[in-house]
PDB file of all heavy atoms in Angstrom:
ATOM      1  N   THR A  13      29.561  20.028 -13.253  1.00  0.00           N
ATOM      2  CA  THR A  13      29.506  21.487 -13.285  1.00  0.00           C
ATOM      3  C   THR A  13      29.170  22.097 -11.918  1.00  0.00           C
ATOM      4  O   THR A  13      29.784  23.059 -11.499  1.00  0.00           O
ATOM      5  CB  THR A  13      28.458  21.929 -14.317  1.00  0.00           C
ATOM      6  OG1 THR A  13      28.709  21.247 -15.535  1.00  0.00           O
ATOM      7  CG2 THR A  13      28.513  23.429 -14.560  1.00  0.00           C
ATOM      8  N   MET A  37      37.904  11.759 -19.846  1.00  0.00           N
ATOM      9  CA  MET A  37      37.637  13.191 -20.065  1.00  0.00           C
ATOM     10  C   MET A  37      36.653  13.455 -21.194  1.00  0.00           C
ATOM     11  O   MET A  37      36.107  14.555 -21.306  1.00  0.00           O
ATOM     12  CB  MET A  37      38.960  13.917 -20.367  1.00  0.00           C
ATOM     13  CG  MET A  37      39.907  14.005 -19.198  1.00  0.00           C
ATOM     14  SD  MET A  37      39.301  15.004 -17.828  1.00  0.00           S
ATOM     15  CE  MET A  37      39.723  16.641 -18.419  1.00  0.00           C
ATOM     16  N   GLY A  38      36.421  12.465 -22.037  1.00  0.00           N
ATOM     17  CA  GLY A  38      35.502  12.680 -23.155  1.00  0.00           C
ATOM     18  C   GLY A  38      34.041  12.662 -22.763  1.00  0.00           C
ATOM     19  O   GLY A  38      33.163  12.954 -23.571  1.00  0.00           O
ATOM     20  N   GLN A  39      33.748  12.330 -21.508  1.00  0.00           N
ATOM     21  CA  GLN A  39      32.344  12.205 -21.095  1.00  0.00           C
ATOM     22  C   GLN A  39      31.664  13.559 -20.950  1.00  0.00           C
ATOM     23  O   GLN A  39      32.297  14.562 -20.623  1.00  0.00           O
ATOM     24  CB  GLN A  39      32.253  11.468 -19.764  1.00  0.00           C
ATOM     25  CG  GLN A  39      32.840  12.230 -18.587  1.00  0.00           C
ATOM     26  CD  GLN A  39      32.610  11.446 -17.304  1.00  0.00           C
ATOM     27  OE1 GLN A  39      31.525  11.443 -16.737  1.00  0.00           O
ATOM     28  NE2 GLN A  39      33.653  10.746 -16.862  1.00  0.00           N
ATOM     29  N   THR A  40      30.361  13.566 -21.220  1.00  0.00           N
ATOM     30  CA  THR A  40      29.601  14.798 -21.010  1.00  0.00           C
ATOM     31  C   THR A  40      28.272  14.488 -20.330  1.00  0.00           C
ATOM     32  O   THR A  40      28.183  14.475 -19.118  1.00  0.00           O
ATOM     33  CB  THR A  40      29.355  15.557 -22.327  1.00  0.00           C
ATOM     34  OG1 THR A  40      28.770  14.678 -23.277  1.00  0.00           O
ATOM     35  CG2 THR A  40      30.648  16.138 -22.865  1.00  0.00           C
ATOM     36  N   ASN A  48      13.759  12.932 -21.902  1.00  0.00           N
ATOM     37  CA  ASN A  48      12.533  13.068 -21.114  1.00  0.00           C
ATOM     38  C   ASN A  48      11.693  14.275 -21.489  1.00  0.00           C
ATOM     39  O   ASN A  48      10.516  14.342 -21.176  1.00  0.00           O
ATOM     40  CB  ASN A  48      12.861  13.107 -19.618  1.00  0.00           C
ATOM     41  CG  ASN A  48      13.104  11.711 -19.069  1.00  0.00           C
ATOM     42  OD1 ASN A  48      12.789  10.715 -19.731  1.00  0.00           O
ATOM     43  ND2 ASN A  48      13.679  11.621 -17.895  1.00  0.00           N
ATOM     44  N   TYR A  51      12.897  15.196 -26.747  1.00  0.00           N
ATOM     45  CA  TYR A  51      13.878  15.370 -27.819  1.00  0.00           C
ATOM     46  C   TYR A  51      14.728  14.112 -27.949  1.00  0.00           C
ATOM     47  O   TYR A  51      15.942  14.142 -27.732  1.00  0.00           O
ATOM     48  CB  TYR A  51      14.735  16.610 -27.561  1.00  0.00           C
ATOM     49  CG  TYR A  51      13.925  17.888 -27.558  1.00  0.00           C
ATOM     50  CD1 TYR A  51      13.331  18.363 -26.387  1.00  0.00           C
ATOM     51  CD2 TYR A  51      13.701  18.599 -28.743  1.00  0.00           C
ATOM     52  CE1 TYR A  51      12.556  19.515 -26.384  1.00  0.00           C
ATOM     53  CE2 TYR A  51      12.929  19.749 -28.749  1.00  0.00           C
ATOM     54  CZ  TYR A  51      12.359  20.198 -27.571  1.00  0.00           C
ATOM     55  OH  TYR A  51      11.595  21.327 -27.575  1.00  0.00           O
ATOM     56  N   ARG A  52      14.089  13.018 -28.288  1.00  0.00           N
ATOM     57  CA  ARG A  52      14.800  11.735 -28.381  1.00  0.00           C
ATOM     58  C   ARG A  52      15.896  11.796 -29.437  1.00  0.00           C
ATOM     59  O   ARG A  52      16.971  11.237 -29.250  1.00  0.00           O
ATOM     60  CB  ARG A  52      13.806  10.622 -28.717  1.00  0.00           C
ATOM     61  CG  ARG A  52      14.444   9.258 -28.912  1.00  0.00           C
ATOM     62  CD  ARG A  52      13.400   8.162 -28.853  1.00  0.00           C
ATOM     63  NE  ARG A  52      12.303   8.395 -29.790  1.00  0.00           N
ATOM     64  CZ  ARG A  52      12.244   7.890 -31.025  1.00  0.00           C
ATOM     65  NH1 ARG A  52      13.220   7.123 -31.468  1.00  0.00           N
ATOM     66  NH2 ARG A  52      11.220   8.151 -31.811  1.00  0.00           N
ATOM     67  N   LYS A 187       8.259  23.659 -16.040  1.00  0.00           N
ATOM     68  CA  LYS A 187       6.999  23.699 -16.778  1.00  0.00           C
ATOM     69  C   LYS A 187       5.777  23.675 -15.860  1.00  0.00           C
ATOM     70  O   LYS A 187       4.734  24.208 -16.195  1.00  0.00           O
ATOM     71  CB  LYS A 187       6.918  22.513 -17.744  1.00  0.00           C
ATOM     72  CG  LYS A 187       7.826  22.666 -18.949  1.00  0.00           C
ATOM     73  CD  LYS A 187       7.645  21.490 -19.880  1.00  0.00           C
ATOM     74  CE  LYS A 187       8.703  21.435 -20.952  1.00  0.00           C
ATOM     75  NZ  LYS A 187       8.422  22.269 -22.111  1.00  0.00           N
ATOM     76  N   ASP A 190       4.360  25.393 -10.062  1.00  0.00           N
ATOM     77  CA  ASP A 190       3.513  25.457  -8.858  1.00  0.00           C
ATOM     78  C   ASP A 190       3.394  24.089  -8.186  1.00  0.00           C
ATOM     79  O   ASP A 190       3.567  23.955  -6.975  1.00  0.00           O
ATOM     80  CB  ASP A 190       2.095  25.935  -9.213  1.00  0.00           C
ATOM     81  CG  ASP A 190       2.064  27.394  -9.608  1.00  0.00           C
ATOM     82  OD1 ASP A 190       2.824  28.172  -9.002  1.00  0.00           O
ATOM     83  OD2 ASP A 190       1.291  27.747 -10.518  1.00  0.00           O
ATOM     84  N   ASP A 198       6.319  19.794   0.669  1.00  0.00           N
ATOM     85  CA  ASP A 198       5.846  18.673   1.484  1.00  0.00           C
ATOM     86  C   ASP A 198       7.003  17.742   1.841  1.00  0.00           C
ATOM     87  O   ASP A 198       7.089  17.236   2.960  1.00  0.00           O
ATOM     88  CB  ASP A 198       4.762  17.882   0.737  1.00  0.00           C
ATOM     89  CG  ASP A 198       3.453  18.662   0.670  1.00  0.00           C
ATOM     90  OD1 ASP A 198       3.328  19.660   1.417  1.00  0.00           O
ATOM     91  OD2 ASP A 198       2.564  18.279  -0.116  1.00  0.00           O
ATOM     92  N   SER A 227      16.376  26.307   1.582  1.00  0.00           N
ATOM     93  CA  SER A 227      16.947  27.632   1.756  1.00  0.00           C
ATOM     94  C   SER A 227      15.840  28.678   1.716  1.00  0.00           C
ATOM     95  O   SER A 227      15.822  29.636   2.482  1.00  0.00           O
ATOM     96  CB  SER A 227      18.011  27.826   0.689  1.00  0.00           C
ATOM     97  OG  SER A 227      17.986  29.108   0.160  1.00  0.00           O
ATOM     98  N   ARG A 228      14.861  28.471   0.832  1.00  0.00           N
ATOM     99  CA  ARG A 228      13.754  29.418   0.725  1.00  0.00           C
ATOM    100  C   ARG A 228      12.848  29.366   1.958  1.00  0.00           C
ATOM    101  O   ARG A 228      12.294  30.356   2.391  1.00  0.00           O
ATOM    102  CB  ARG A 228      12.962  29.116  -0.553  1.00  0.00           C
ATOM    103  CG  ARG A 228      12.058  30.216  -1.008  1.00  0.00           C
ATOM    104  CD  ARG A 228      12.758  31.544  -1.111  1.00  0.00           C
ATOM    105  NE  ARG A 228      13.692  31.684  -2.207  1.00  0.00           N
ATOM    106  CZ  ARG A 228      13.384  32.171  -3.399  1.00  0.00           C
ATOM    107  NH1 ARG A 228      12.169  32.568  -3.651  1.00  0.00           N
ATOM    108  NH2 ARG A 228      14.304  32.268  -4.313  1.00  0.00           N
TER     109      ARG A 228
ATOM    110  N   HIS V  16      -2.630  25.836 -11.129  1.00  0.00           N
ATOM    111  CA  HIS V  16      -2.211  26.936 -10.265  1.00  0.00           C
ATOM    112  C   HIS V  16      -3.240  27.217  -9.156  1.00  0.00           C
ATOM    113  O   HIS V  16      -2.908  27.307  -7.986  1.00  0.00           O
ATOM    114  CB  HIS V  16      -1.988  28.190 -11.117  1.00  0.00           C
ATOM    115  CG  HIS V  16      -1.690  29.418 -10.317  1.00  0.00           C
ATOM    116  ND1 HIS V  16      -0.433  29.649  -9.806  1.00  0.00           N
ATOM    117  CD2 HIS V  16      -2.469  30.446  -9.919  1.00  0.00           C
ATOM    118  CE1 HIS V  16      -0.462  30.796  -9.131  1.00  0.00           C
ATOM    119  NE2 HIS V  16      -1.684  31.290  -9.190  1.00  0.00           N
ATOM    120  N   ARG V 333      -2.072  17.323  -5.943  1.00  0.00           N
ATOM    121  CA  ARG V 333      -1.954  18.773  -5.745  1.00  0.00           C
ATOM    122  C   ARG V 333      -2.704  19.603  -6.775  1.00  0.00           C
ATOM    123  O   ARG V 333      -3.155  20.699  -6.493  1.00  0.00           O
ATOM    124  CB  ARG V 333      -0.486  19.177  -5.710  1.00  0.00           C
ATOM    125  CG  ARG V 333       0.129  18.867  -4.365  1.00  0.00           C
ATOM    126  CD  ARG V 333       1.540  18.394  -4.481  1.00  0.00           C
ATOM    127  NE  ARG V 333       2.022  17.908  -3.201  1.00  0.00           N
ATOM    128  CZ  ARG V 333       2.350  16.651  -2.970  1.00  0.00           C
ATOM    129  NH1 ARG V 333       2.238  15.748  -3.914  1.00  0.00           N
ATOM    130  NH2 ARG V 333       2.786  16.279  -1.789  1.00  0.00           N
ATOM    131  N   ARG V 394       5.309  13.601 -25.463  1.00  0.00           N
ATOM    132  CA  ARG V 394       6.102  14.838 -25.441  1.00  0.00           C
ATOM    133  C   ARG V 394       6.846  14.975 -26.767  1.00  0.00           C
ATOM    134  O   ARG V 394       6.932  16.064 -27.327  1.00  0.00           O
ATOM    135  CB  ARG V 394       7.110  14.803 -24.286  1.00  0.00           C
ATOM    136  CG  ARG V 394       6.459  14.929 -22.936  1.00  0.00           C
ATOM    137  CD  ARG V 394       7.461  14.813 -21.812  1.00  0.00           C
ATOM    138  NE  ARG V 394       6.760  14.852 -20.541  1.00  0.00           N
ATOM    139  CZ  ARG V 394       7.339  14.920 -19.352  1.00  0.00           C
ATOM    140  NH1 ARG V 394       8.650  14.961 -19.262  1.00  0.00           N
ATOM    141  NH2 ARG V 394       6.625  14.962 -18.248  1.00  0.00           N
ATOM    142  N   GLU V 395       7.367  13.853 -27.211  1.00  0.00           N
ATOM    143  CA  GLU V 395       8.086  13.849 -28.485  1.00  0.00           C
ATOM    144  C   GLU V 395       7.157  14.310 -29.607  1.00  0.00           C
ATOM    145  O   GLU V 395       7.547  15.081 -30.478  1.00  0.00           O
ATOM    146  CB  GLU V 395       8.556  12.418 -28.738  1.00  0.00           C
ATOM    147  CG  GLU V 395       9.700  12.289 -29.665  1.00  0.00           C
ATOM    148  CD  GLU V 395      10.116  10.824 -29.779  1.00  0.00           C
ATOM    149  OE1 GLU V 395      10.358  10.179 -28.743  1.00  0.00           O
ATOM    150  OE2 GLU V 395      10.187  10.323 -30.915  1.00  0.00           O
ATOM    151  N   GLU V 421      12.958  26.354 -26.524  1.00  0.00           N
ATOM    152  CA  GLU V 421      13.390  25.117 -25.873  1.00  0.00           C
ATOM    153  C   GLU V 421      14.146  24.223 -26.853  1.00  0.00           C
ATOM    154  O   GLU V 421      15.183  23.655 -26.533  1.00  0.00           O
ATOM    155  CB  GLU V 421      12.157  24.392 -25.345  1.00  0.00           C
ATOM    156  CG  GLU V 421      12.450  23.082 -24.661  1.00  0.00           C
ATOM    157  CD  GLU V 421      11.160  22.388 -24.268  1.00  0.00           C
ATOM    158  OE1 GLU V 421      10.618  22.747 -23.216  1.00  0.00           O
ATOM    159  OE2 GLU V 421      10.690  21.517 -25.031  1.00  0.00           O
ATOM    160  N   PHE V 432      27.460  19.147 -25.491  1.00  0.00           N
ATOM    161  CA  PHE V 432      27.696  17.845 -24.868  1.00  0.00           C
ATOM    162  C   PHE V 432      28.383  16.846 -25.804  1.00  0.00           C
ATOM    163  O   PHE V 432      28.890  15.837 -25.361  1.00  0.00           O
ATOM    164  CB  PHE V 432      26.392  17.257 -24.350  1.00  0.00           C
ATOM    165  CG  PHE V 432      25.893  17.937 -23.105  1.00  0.00           C
ATOM    166  CD1 PHE V 432      24.543  18.129 -22.892  1.00  0.00           C
ATOM    167  CD2 PHE V 432      26.781  18.377 -22.133  1.00  0.00           C
ATOM    168  CE1 PHE V 432      24.083  18.753 -21.746  1.00  0.00           C
ATOM    169  CE2 PHE V 432      26.324  19.004 -20.979  1.00  0.00           C
ATOM    170  CZ  PHE V 432      24.973  19.185 -20.788  1.00  0.00           C
ATOM    171  N   GLN V 442      32.091  25.718 -18.613  1.00  0.00           N
ATOM    172  CA  GLN V 442      32.167  25.559 -17.155  1.00  0.00           C
ATOM    173  C   GLN V 442      33.141  26.557 -16.541  1.00  0.00           C
ATOM    174  O   GLN V 442      32.866  27.152 -15.502  1.00  0.00           O
ATOM    175  CB  GLN V 442      32.622  24.133 -16.818  1.00  0.00           C
ATOM    176  CG  GLN V 442      31.522  23.103 -17.004  1.00  0.00           C
ATOM    177  CD  GLN V 442      32.055  21.689 -16.834  1.00  0.00           C
ATOM    178  OE1 GLN V 442      33.254  21.441 -17.008  1.00  0.00           O
ATOM    179  NE2 GLN V 442      31.176  20.765 -16.497  1.00  0.00           N
ATOM    180  N   ALA V 465      11.571  31.189  -8.504  1.00  0.00           N
ATOM    181  CA  ALA V 465      10.656  31.997  -7.694  1.00  0.00           C
ATOM    182  C   ALA V 465      10.396  31.331  -6.358  1.00  0.00           C
ATOM    183  O   ALA V 465      10.079  31.981  -5.371  1.00  0.00           O
ATOM    184  CB  ALA V 465       9.350  32.223  -8.438  1.00  0.00           C
ATOM    185  N   ARG V 467      12.484  28.487  -5.249  1.00  0.00           N
ATOM    186  CA  ARG V 467      13.641  27.726  -4.779  1.00  0.00           C
ATOM    187  C   ARG V 467      14.907  28.533  -5.045  1.00  0.00           C
ATOM    188  O   ARG V 467      15.001  29.227  -6.054  1.00  0.00           O
ATOM    189  CB  ARG V 467      13.738  26.385  -5.536  1.00  0.00           C
ATOM    190  CG  ARG V 467      12.702  25.382  -5.092  1.00  0.00           C
ATOM    191  CD  ARG V 467      12.213  24.537  -6.238  1.00  0.00           C
ATOM    192  NE  ARG V 467      11.419  25.310  -7.173  1.00  0.00           N
ATOM    193  CZ  ARG V 467      10.620  24.766  -8.101  1.00  0.00           C
ATOM    194  NH1 ARG V 467      10.520  23.482  -8.207  1.00  0.00           N
ATOM    195  NH2 ARG V 467       9.928  25.532  -8.916  1.00  0.00           N
ATOM    196  N   ASP V 468      15.901  28.424  -4.173  1.00  0.00           N
ATOM    197  CA  ASP V 468      17.153  29.129  -4.400  1.00  0.00           C
ATOM    198  C   ASP V 468      18.095  28.265  -5.218  1.00  0.00           C
ATOM    199  O   ASP V 468      18.174  27.057  -5.029  1.00  0.00           O
ATOM    200  CB  ASP V 468      17.807  29.484  -3.064  1.00  0.00           C
ATOM    201  CG  ASP V 468      17.043  30.606  -2.361  1.00  0.00           C
ATOM    202  OD1 ASP V 468      16.470  31.450  -3.084  1.00  0.00           O
ATOM    203  OD2 ASP V 468      16.995  30.619  -1.130  1.00  0.00           O
ATOM    204  N   ARG V 478      35.923  18.221 -13.763  1.00  0.00           N
ATOM    205  CA  ARG V 478      36.886  17.813 -14.795  1.00  0.00           C
ATOM    206  C   ARG V 478      38.181  18.623 -14.714  1.00  0.00           C
ATOM    207  O   ARG V 478      39.259  18.099 -14.970  1.00  0.00           O
ATOM    208  CB  ARG V 478      36.268  17.829 -16.190  1.00  0.00           C
ATOM    209  CG  ARG V 478      36.039  19.183 -16.829  1.00  0.00           C
ATOM    210  CD  ARG V 478      35.477  19.041 -18.229  1.00  0.00           C
ATOM    211  NE  ARG V 478      34.233  18.238 -18.211  1.00  0.00           N
ATOM    212  CZ  ARG V 478      34.017  17.163 -18.954  1.00  0.00           C
ATOM    213  NH1 ARG V 478      34.915  16.748 -19.806  1.00  0.00           N
ATOM    214  NH2 ARG V 478      32.882  16.508 -18.865  1.00  0.00           N
ATOM    215  N   GLN V 482      41.791  17.021 -13.983  1.00  0.00           N
ATOM    216  CA  GLN V 482      42.897  17.346 -14.892  1.00  0.00           C
ATOM    217  C   GLN V 482      44.110  17.824 -14.085  1.00  0.00           C
ATOM    218  O   GLN V 482      45.238  17.417 -14.338  1.00  0.00           O
ATOM    219  CB  GLN V 482      42.439  18.454 -15.845  1.00  0.00           C
ATOM    220  CG  GLN V 482      43.427  18.784 -16.946  1.00  0.00           C
ATOM    221  CD  GLN V 482      43.310  17.785 -18.094  1.00  0.00           C
ATOM    222  OE1 GLN V 482      42.212  17.344 -18.387  1.00  0.00           O
ATOM    223  NE2 GLN V 482      44.407  17.425 -18.704  1.00  0.00           N
ATOM    224  N   LYS V 492      39.432   8.759 -23.003  1.00  0.00           N
ATOM    225  CA  LYS V 492      39.440   9.465 -24.279  1.00  0.00           C
ATOM    226  C   LYS V 492      39.288  10.951 -24.030  1.00  0.00           C
ATOM    227  O   LYS V 492      38.585  11.344 -23.122  1.00  0.00           O
ATOM    228  CB  LYS V 492      38.286   8.977 -25.145  1.00  0.00           C
ATOM    229  CG  LYS V 492      38.433   7.530 -25.473  1.00  0.00           C
ATOM    230  CD  LYS V 492      37.522   7.148 -26.603  1.00  0.00           C
ATOM    231  CE  LYS V 492      37.592   5.644 -26.863  1.00  0.00           C
ATOM    232  NZ  LYS V 492      36.849   5.237 -28.027  1.00  0.00           N
TER     233      LYS V 492
END
Side-chain angles (χ1 to χ4, degrees):
Chain A
T13 310
M37 291 295 278
Q39 67 176 282
T40 53
N48 280 347
Y51 297 89
R52 177 164 54 94
K187 287 182 191 276
D190 290 323
D198 288 346
S227 140
R228 197 51 72 92
Chain V
H16 174 79
R333 281 143 189 115
R394 289 177 184 188
E395 202 177 307
E421 179 184 278
F432 286 144
Q442 284 173 337
R467 286 145 291 196
D468 288 329
R478 74 178 56 234
Q482 187 81 36
K492 297 195 185 186

